[in-house]
Amino acid sequence: MRIGSSVFLIALGAILAWAITPGLIPNVDQTMVGYILIAVGVIGLIASLVLASPGRSRTRRVSETRSVVDPNTGETITRNESRDAGI
């Protein structure tokens, strides 16, 4: 669950819990459904913030070195390349 969907669930739950007149939806306790949506949204928001924190290293750095001899001059050319490889 991403941050946007968590905020959406919190907003939807708040609307159901506090803004709509109780009994508008028959046979459903919309206040309880609103509180459940708020709780799920808060849990999703906390989880997405923890997973997106900069301290968590989900990426790894890849380094590559290539050495080539120039046939004209006989000079050795070394190329270093490093990049982030991850999701």
Side-chain angles (χ1 to χ4, degrees):
M1 183 180 304
R2 305 270 179 160
I3 293 173
S5 58
S6 298
V7 171
F8 175 76
L9 286 178
I10 292 170
L12 183 64
I15 290 170
L16 283 175
W18 298 309
I20 296 179
T21 306
L24 186 64
I25 305 170
N27 300 326
V28 175
D29 186 5
Q30 65 195 33
T31 305
M32 182 58 68
V33 172
Y35 288 141
I36 290 170
L37 287 176
I38 291 172
V40 169
V42 168
I43 291 170
L45 182 64
I46 292 170
S48 62
L49 290 176
V50 166
L51 292 176
S53 68
R56 183 177 168 93
S57 61
R58 294 183 346 189
T59 61
R60 58 187 172 103
R61 186 168 283 292
V62 175
S63 297
E64 185 176 328
T65 304
R66 294 182 187 178
S67 296
V68 178
V69 177
D70 188 0
N72 295 328
T73 62
E75 183 179 345
T76 302
I77 301 170
T78 304
R79 178 180 170 190
N80 294 324
E81 180 181 328
S82 62
R83 65 184 185 281
D84 290 333
I87 298 173

